[in-house]
């Protein structure tokens, strides 16, 4: 199911949109906030920067356009391994690990900083600045999808469009919003993580992916979940499943492509429709016939063609030609 693009009128945003004003928000004493000055030497001649090293940044491909891939909770950049080969001939592809993911140094994880998505958004902006990327497409899954939303408000100049896979501004139900969970459900899941993380992973991974433990996708998701330090996994999980970013949506001006599985235990399809109605800029939504919250992992044969189509599709051109 594809909903046609729409344009919402919106008030001018008052969040920082320049590099200097965004820098003023970067107040945390953290390695990811150390900024690189402009260099005159070629990137190939430079040593890896502090931000790149901390987030295990990898750049592949040789295209003129840049696409940045951000992973969701419980995974790392390896979750994109089946998509990347389709991109490298045409795009410069940037991959990175969110702080707290298994391959990152757990000593770098700041529990206060990452108690909100703003911390992840500042990291993304820092990565783009260190790589001297002035404009990119951003493809994010779940946690990173909403990270891209927040980052695009702080620095809309950095993003030509956002491709949001399994994105939700809020997972907990309210009187006038259906996110998929009651607050008691989330608290019970957090308690289960705290009491026996291994058992929790064995139950959560099949539910999130949509399969059983014999599934390669479930085994892969379990592997990356087990790579996370349990206390960090609990903190990230609580942040993701308790945030409320609905108030941000009207401030988004960057075009958004919203993609979701038709059967996702973590969120109903009405959430994607909610995003489509409430985003401040142009958006398009497509519900694909896949199961699970991680369709790029569980059903790559169905999901990758959809992602490639949205990567190449310009919804702003659609509006100008209509």
């Amino acid at each position: 199911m594809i909903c046609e693009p729409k344009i919402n009128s919106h008030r001018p945003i008052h969040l920082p949109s320049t590099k200097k004003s965004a820098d003023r928000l970067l107040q945390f004493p953290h390695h990811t906030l150390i900024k690189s000055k402009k260099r005159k030497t070629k990137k190939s001649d430079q040593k890896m920067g502090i931000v790149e090293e901390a987030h295990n940044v990898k750049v592949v491909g040789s295209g003129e356009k840049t696409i940045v891939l951000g992973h969701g909770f419980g995974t790392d950049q390896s979750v994109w391994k089946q998509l990347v080969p389709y991109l490298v001939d045409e795009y410069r592809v940037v991959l990175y690990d969110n702080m707290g993911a298994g391959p990152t140094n757990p000593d770098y994880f700041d529990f206060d900083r990452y108690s909100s998505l703003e911390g992840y958004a500042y990291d993304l902006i820092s990565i783009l600045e260190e790589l001297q990327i002035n404009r990119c497409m951003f493809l994010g899954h779940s946690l990173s999808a909403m990270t891209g939303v927040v980052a695009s408000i702080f620095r809309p100049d950095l993003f030509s469009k956002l491709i949001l896979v399994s994105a939700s501004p809020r997972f907990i139900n309210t009187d006038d919003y259906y996110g998929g969970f009651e607050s008691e459900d989330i608290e019970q899941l957090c308690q289960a993580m705290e009491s026996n993380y291994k058992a929790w992973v064995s139950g959560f991974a099949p539910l999130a992916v949509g399969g059983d433990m014999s599934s390669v996708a479930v085994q892969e998701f379990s592997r990356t979940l087990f790579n996370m330090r349990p206390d960090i996994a609990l903190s990230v999980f609580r942040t993701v499943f308790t945030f409320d970013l609905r108030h941000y949506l009207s401030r988004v001006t960057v075009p958004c492509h919203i993609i979701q599985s038709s059967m996702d235990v973590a969120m109903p399809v009405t959430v994607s429709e909610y995003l489509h109605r409430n985003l401040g800029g142009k958006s398009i939504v497509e519900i694909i016939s896949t199961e699970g919250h991680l369709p790029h992992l569980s059903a790559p044969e169905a999901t990758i063609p959809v992602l490639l189509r949205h990567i190449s599709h310009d919804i702003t051109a659609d509006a100008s030609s209509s």
Side-chain angles (χ1 to χ4, degrees), residues 238-253:
R238 192 182 292 277
T239 295
V240 170
F241 281 90
T242 59
F243 63 52
D244 188 356
L245 299 177
R246 291 176 295 169
H247 60 289
Y248 273 102
L249 301 181
S250 65
R251 303 176 181 183
V252 177
T253 59

Side-chain angles (χ1 to χ4, degrees), residues 136-206:
C136 73
M137 289 181 281
F138 181 75
L139 166 55
H141 170 247
S142 195
L143 161 64
S144 283
M146 296 310 297
T147 295
V149 166
V150 176
S152 78
I153 298 172
F154 294 157
R155 290 291 307 278
D157 57 297
L158 293 175
F159 302 94
S160 59
K161 69 177 168 184
L162 305 177
I163 301 168
L164 312 175
V165 180
S166 306
S168 174
R170 179 183 170 99
F171 286 95
I172 295 178
N173 304 328
T174 67
D175 291 339
D176 60 351
Y177 172 83
Y178 182 56
F181 292 87
E182 298 296 335
S183 56
E184 295 81 4
D185 300 331
I186 303 302
E187 192 54 41
Q188 288 176 6
L189 287 167
C190 289
Q191 290 174 3
M193 291 179 77
E194 215 166 0
S195 69
N196 190 330
Y197 184 65
K198 183 177 180 180
W200 178 85
V201 169
S202 297
F204 178 75

